[in-house]
Amino acid sequence: MTVDVSELMDDPDFVSPDPVTLIRRSSVVNGFGENVLTEVVTPITAIIQAGPGDMLERLPDEAKLTRMIRIWTRTVLQAESPGGYADMITWQGGRWSLMPVQYWGNWGQGFTQALATYEGVSQ
């Protein structure tokens, strides 16, 4: 018997009560030879949990704290794409950049799991 864990991706007991949006970014060169970044924003349903813990990096000039979260969604996420950038999400007023992304297509209807680092306040 196979357990369909993808059913949890829409379960209100698990999904984030706060809105989650996916930002898919790409760049094109305009007629003036300038790189232009475009963003397509799409609302998604996702489960968001604490990541593996905040990481503290001690650099020569500063200490940098990196906040992380873990995301599960039926939406296919991209850590990188040819000629593009890693997807980002907005959640609880912040922008989060996706790092490693794993697609679990063999579990029921499939889902994507990703780790994301905090990029700052969304505008």
PDB file of all heavy atoms in Angstrom, residues 54-73:
ATOM      1  N   ASP A  54      18.704  28.612  11.864  1.00  0.00           N
ATOM      2  CA  ASP A  54      19.416  29.770  11.331  1.00  0.00           C
ATOM      3  C   ASP A  54      20.907  29.472  11.343  1.00  0.00           C
ATOM      4  O   ASP A  54      21.418  28.816  12.250  1.00  0.00           O
ATOM      5  CB  ASP A  54      19.119  31.006  12.169  1.00  0.00           C
ATOM      6  CG  ASP A  54      17.649  31.417  12.101  1.00  0.00           C
ATOM      7  OD1 ASP A  54      16.971  30.992  11.157  1.00  0.00           O
ATOM      8  OD2 ASP A  54      17.204  32.157  12.982  1.00  0.00           O
ATOM      9  N   MET A  55      21.602  29.969  10.315  1.00  0.00           N
ATOM     10  CA  MET A  55      23.050  29.764  10.231  1.00  0.00           C
ATOM     11  C   MET A  55      23.747  31.088  10.513  1.00  0.00           C
ATOM     12  O   MET A  55      23.374  32.120   9.963  1.00  0.00           O
ATOM     13  CB  MET A  55      23.443  29.267   8.837  1.00  0.00           C
ATOM     14  CG  MET A  55      22.942  27.895   8.537  1.00  0.00           C
ATOM     15  SD  MET A  55      23.510  27.171   6.962  1.00  0.00           S
ATOM     16  CE  MET A  55      24.092  28.500   5.981  1.00  0.00           C
ATOM     17  N   LEU A  56      24.745  31.052  11.364  1.00  0.00           N
ATOM     18  CA  LEU A  56      25.541  32.230  11.664  1.00  0.00           C
ATOM     19  C   LEU A  56      26.890  32.074  10.985  1.00  0.00           C
ATOM     20  O   LEU A  56      27.620  31.115  11.232  1.00  0.00           O
ATOM     21  CB  LEU A  56      25.728  32.392  13.176  1.00  0.00           C
ATOM     22  CG  LEU A  56      26.606  33.570  13.601  1.00  0.00           C
ATOM     23  CD1 LEU A  56      25.954  34.899  13.199  1.00  0.00           C
ATOM     24  CD2 LEU A  56      26.844  33.534  15.102  1.00  0.00           C
ATOM     25  N   GLU A  57      27.203  33.004  10.078  1.00  0.00           N
ATOM     26  CA  GLU A  57      28.493  33.016   9.402  1.00  0.00           C
ATOM     27  C   GLU A  57      29.332  34.124  10.008  1.00  0.00           C
ATOM     28  O   GLU A  57      28.909  35.270  10.075  1.00  0.00           O
ATOM     29  CB  GLU A  57      28.329  33.281   7.908  1.00  0.00           C
ATOM     30  CG  GLU A  57      27.602  32.208   7.154  1.00  0.00           C
ATOM     31  CD  GLU A  57      27.482  32.565   5.690  1.00  0.00           C
ATOM     32  OE1 GLU A  57      28.509  32.485   4.983  1.00  0.00           O
ATOM     33  OE2 GLU A  57      26.380  32.956   5.278  1.00  0.00           O
ATOM     34  N   ARG A  58      30.507  33.790  10.452  1.00  0.00           N
ATOM     35  CA  ARG A  58      31.429  34.791  10.988  1.00  0.00           C
ATOM     36  C   ARG A  58      32.415  35.162   9.881  1.00  0.00           C
ATOM     37  O   ARG A  58      33.305  34.408   9.552  1.00  0.00           O
ATOM     38  CB  ARG A  58      32.152  34.255  12.207  1.00  0.00           C
ATOM     39  CG  ARG A  58      31.211  33.972  13.348  1.00  0.00           C
ATOM     40  CD  ARG A  58      31.981  33.631  14.618  1.00  0.00           C
ATOM     41  NE  ARG A  58      31.083  33.230  15.675  1.00  0.00           N
ATOM     42  CZ  ARG A  58      30.443  34.057  16.480  1.00  0.00           C
ATOM     43  NH1 ARG A  58      30.588  35.350  16.334  1.00  0.00           N
ATOM     44  NH2 ARG A  58      29.657  33.603  17.438  1.00  0.00           N
ATOM     45  N   LEU A  59      32.222  36.344   9.320  1.00  0.00           N
ATOM     46  CA  LEU A  59      33.052  36.851   8.243  1.00  0.00           C
ATOM     47  C   LEU A  59      34.074  37.823   8.820  1.00  0.00           C
ATOM     48  O   LEU A  59      33.905  38.311   9.945  1.00  0.00           O
ATOM     49  CB  LEU A  59      32.161  37.537   7.203  1.00  0.00           C
ATOM     50  CG  LEU A  59      31.029  36.656   6.646  1.00  0.00           C
ATOM     51  CD1 LEU A  59      30.076  37.474   5.802  1.00  0.00           C
ATOM     52  CD2 LEU A  59      31.588  35.486   5.870  1.00  0.00           C
ATOM     53  N   PRO A  60      35.128  38.162   8.089  1.00  0.00           N
ATOM     54  CA  PRO A  60      36.144  39.066   8.636  1.00  0.00           C
ATOM     55  C   PRO A  60      35.602  40.416   9.108  1.00  0.00           C
ATOM     56  O   PRO A  60      36.061  40.961  10.096  1.00  0.00           O
ATOM     57  CB  PRO A  60      37.116  39.262   7.468  1.00  0.00           C
ATOM     58  CG  PRO A  60      36.924  38.076   6.606  1.00  0.00           C
ATOM     59  CD  PRO A  60      35.493  37.665   6.769  1.00  0.00           C
ATOM     60  N   ASP A  61      34.598  40.944   8.403  1.00  0.00           N
ATOM     61  CA  ASP A  61      34.075  42.275   8.737  1.00  0.00           C
ATOM     62  C   ASP A  61      32.733  42.260   9.458  1.00  0.00           C
ATOM     63  O   ASP A  61      32.261  43.306   9.883  1.00  0.00           O
ATOM     64  CB  ASP A  61      33.923  43.115   7.462  1.00  0.00           C
ATOM     65  CG  ASP A  61      35.267  43.392   6.809  1.00  0.00           C
ATOM     66  OD1 ASP A  61      36.279  43.379   7.529  1.00  0.00           O
ATOM     67  OD2 ASP A  61      35.295  43.630   5.595  1.00  0.00           O
ATOM     68  N   GLU A  62      32.097  41.093   9.540  1.00  0.00           N
ATOM     69  CA  GLU A  62      30.774  41.059  10.144  1.00  0.00           C
ATOM     70  C   GLU A  62      30.371  39.626  10.493  1.00  0.00           C
ATOM     71  O   GLU A  62      31.004  38.674  10.063  1.00  0.00           O
ATOM     72  CB  GLU A  62      29.734  41.643   9.192  1.00  0.00           C
ATOM     73  CG  GLU A  62      29.540  40.795   7.939  1.00  0.00           C
ATOM     74  CD  GLU A  62      28.509  41.351   6.987  1.00  0.00           C
ATOM     75  OE1 GLU A  62      27.734  42.236   7.381  1.00  0.00           O
ATOM     76  OE2 GLU A  62      28.473  40.898   5.839  1.00  0.00           O
ATOM     77  N   ALA A  63      29.302  39.537  11.234  1.00  0.00           N
ATOM     78  CA  ALA A  63      28.646  38.254  11.464  1.00  0.00           C
ATOM     79  C   ALA A  63      27.317  38.320  10.733  1.00  0.00           C
ATOM     80  O   ALA A  63      26.582  39.293  10.839  1.00  0.00           O
ATOM     81  CB  ALA A  63      28.439  38.013  12.947  1.00  0.00           C
ATOM     82  N   LYS A  64      27.011  37.297   9.952  1.00  0.00           N
ATOM     83  CA  LYS A  64      25.805  37.296   9.130  1.00  0.00           C
ATOM     84  C   LYS A  64      24.910  36.137   9.557  1.00  0.00           C
ATOM     85  O   LYS A  64      25.345  34.990   9.579  1.00  0.00           O
ATOM     86  CB  LYS A  64      26.200  37.146   7.662  1.00  0.00           C
ATOM     87  CG  LYS A  64      25.032  37.084   6.722  1.00  0.00           C
ATOM     88  CD  LYS A  64      25.536  36.886   5.290  1.00  0.00           C
ATOM     89  CE  LYS A  64      24.375  36.626   4.366  1.00  0.00           C
ATOM     90  NZ  LYS A  64      24.837  36.260   3.036  1.00  0.00           N
ATOM     91  N   LEU A  65      23.659  36.457   9.890  1.00  0.00           N
ATOM     92  CA  LEU A  65      22.683  35.450  10.277  1.00  0.00           C
ATOM     93  C   LEU A  65      21.774  35.164   9.084  1.00  0.00           C
ATOM     94  O   LEU A  65      21.173  36.081   8.523  1.00  0.00           O
ATOM     95  CB  LEU A  65      21.843  35.931  11.462  1.00  0.00           C
ATOM     96  CG  LEU A  65      20.822  34.943  12.002  1.00  0.00           C
ATOM     97  CD1 LEU A  65      21.528  33.726  12.608  1.00  0.00           C
ATOM     98  CD2 LEU A  65      19.947  35.607  13.051  1.00  0.00           C
ATOM     99  N   THR A  66      21.704  33.909   8.671  1.00  0.00           N
ATOM    100  CA  THR A  66      20.868  33.508   7.546  1.00  0.00           C
ATOM    101  C   THR A  66      19.668  32.741   8.073  1.00  0.00           C
ATOM    102  O   THR A  66      19.823  31.682   8.673  1.00  0.00           O
ATOM    103  CB  THR A  66      21.665  32.628   6.554  1.00  0.00           C
ATOM    104  OG1 THR A  66      22.805  33.351   6.102  1.00  0.00           O
ATOM    105  CG2 THR A  66      20.818  32.241   5.361  1.00  0.00           C
ATOM    106  N   ARG A  67      18.469  33.296   7.858  1.00  0.00           N
ATOM    107  CA  ARG A  67      17.222  32.632   8.253  1.00  0.00           C
ATOM    108  C   ARG A  67      16.773  31.709   7.135  1.00  0.00           C
ATOM    109  O   ARG A  67      16.901  32.055   5.962  1.00  0.00           O
ATOM    110  CB  ARG A  67      16.141  33.666   8.527  1.00  0.00           C
ATOM    111  CG  ARG A  67      16.454  34.572   9.697  1.00  0.00           C
ATOM    112  CD  ARG A  67      15.472  35.719   9.827  1.00  0.00           C
ATOM    113  NE  ARG A  67      14.081  35.294   9.749  1.00  0.00           N
ATOM    114  CZ  ARG A  67      13.070  36.116   9.479  1.00  0.00           C
ATOM    115  NH1 ARG A  67      13.286  37.388   9.267  1.00  0.00           N
ATOM    116  NH2 ARG A  67      11.835  35.667   9.436  1.00  0.00           N
ATOM    117  N   MET A  68      16.221  30.539   7.510  1.00  0.00           N
ATOM    118  CA  MET A  68      15.778  29.579   6.504  1.00  0.00           C
ATOM    119  C   MET A  68      14.414  28.996   6.857  1.00  0.00           C
ATOM    120  O   MET A  68      14.082  28.863   8.026  1.00  0.00           O
ATOM    121  CB  MET A  68      16.788  28.447   6.364  1.00  0.00           C
ATOM    122  CG  MET A  68      18.077  28.886   5.723  1.00  0.00           C
ATOM    123  SD  MET A  68      19.116  27.489   5.294  1.00  0.00           S
ATOM    124  CE  MET A  68      19.892  27.165   6.862  1.00  0.00           C
ATOM    125  N   ILE A  69      13.658  28.664   5.800  1.00  0.00           N
ATOM    126  CA  ILE A  69      12.393  27.960   5.951  1.00  0.00           C
ATOM    127  C   ILE A  69      12.377  26.795   4.961  1.00  0.00           C
ATOM    128  O   ILE A  69      13.143  26.767   3.996  1.00  0.00           O
ATOM    129  CB  ILE A  69      11.168  28.872   5.706  1.00  0.00           C
ATOM    130  CG1 ILE A  69      11.237  29.516   4.321  1.00  0.00           C
ATOM    131  CG2 ILE A  69      11.023  29.902   6.807  1.00  0.00           C
ATOM    132  CD1 ILE A  69      10.001  30.304   3.926  1.00  0.00           C
ATOM    133  N   ARG A  70      11.486  25.847   5.209  1.00  0.00           N
ATOM    134  CA  ARG A  70      11.280  24.717   4.312  1.00  0.00           C
ATOM    135  C   ARG A  70       9.860  24.818   3.754  1.00  0.00           C
ATOM    136  O   ARG A  70       8.931  25.149   4.478  1.00  0.00           O
ATOM    137  CB  ARG A  70      11.473  23.417   5.072  1.00  0.00           C
ATOM    138  CG  ARG A  70      11.791  22.249   4.191  1.00  0.00           C
ATOM    139  CD  ARG A  70      12.159  21.019   4.988  1.00  0.00           C
ATOM    140  NE  ARG A  70      13.378  21.130   5.759  1.00  0.00           N
ATOM    141  CZ  ARG A  70      14.615  20.920   5.291  1.00  0.00           C
ATOM    142  NH1 ARG A  70      14.783  20.634   4.022  1.00  0.00           N
ATOM    143  NH2 ARG A  70      15.662  21.000   6.079  1.00  0.00           N
ATOM    144  N   ILE A  71       9.713  24.539   2.449  1.00  0.00           N
ATOM    145  CA  ILE A  71       8.454  24.723   1.742  1.00  0.00           C
ATOM    146  C   ILE A  71       8.069  23.420   1.035  1.00  0.00           C
ATOM    147  O   ILE A  71       8.923  22.779   0.422  1.00  0.00           O
ATOM    148  CB  ILE A  71       8.588  25.823   0.669  1.00  0.00           C
ATOM    149  CG1 ILE A  71       9.071  27.115   1.296  1.00  0.00           C
ATOM    150  CG2 ILE A  71       7.296  26.023  -0.104  1.00  0.00           C
ATOM    151  CD1 ILE A  71       9.755  28.022   0.321  1.00  0.00           C
ATOM    152  N   TRP A  72       6.784  23.069   1.134  1.00  0.00           N
ATOM    153  CA  TRP A  72       6.218  21.945   0.380  1.00  0.00           C
ATOM    154  C   TRP A  72       5.026  22.484  -0.393  1.00  0.00           C
ATOM    155  O   TRP A  72       4.178  23.163   0.166  1.00  0.00           O
ATOM    156  CB  TRP A  72       5.737  20.840   1.309  1.00  0.00           C
ATOM    157  CG  TRP A  72       6.812  20.099   2.022  1.00  0.00           C
ATOM    158  CD1 TRP A  72       7.425  18.946   1.620  1.00  0.00           C
ATOM    159  CD2 TRP A  72       7.388  20.425   3.279  1.00  0.00           C
ATOM    160  NE1 TRP A  72       8.342  18.550   2.561  1.00  0.00           N
ATOM    161  CE2 TRP A  72       8.342  19.447   3.594  1.00  0.00           C
ATOM    162  CE3 TRP A  72       7.192  21.467   4.192  1.00  0.00           C
ATOM    163  CZ2 TRP A  72       9.097  19.466   4.753  1.00  0.00           C
ATOM    164  CZ3 TRP A  72       7.951  21.498   5.344  1.00  0.00           C
ATOM    165  CH2 TRP A  72       8.879  20.504   5.617  1.00  0.00           C
ATOM    166  N   THR A  73       4.935  22.162  -1.679  1.00  0.00           N
ATOM    167  CA  THR A  73       3.821  22.625  -2.505  1.00  0.00           C
ATOM    168  C   THR A  73       3.656  21.707  -3.706  1.00  0.00           C
ATOM    169  O   THR A  73       4.613  21.029  -4.114  1.00  0.00           O
ATOM    170  CB  THR A  73       4.033  24.083  -2.977  1.00  0.00           C
ATOM    171  OG1 THR A  73       2.927  24.492  -3.767  1.00  0.00           O
ATOM    172  CG2 THR A  73       5.304  24.249  -3.774  1.00  0.00           C
TER     173      THR A  73
END
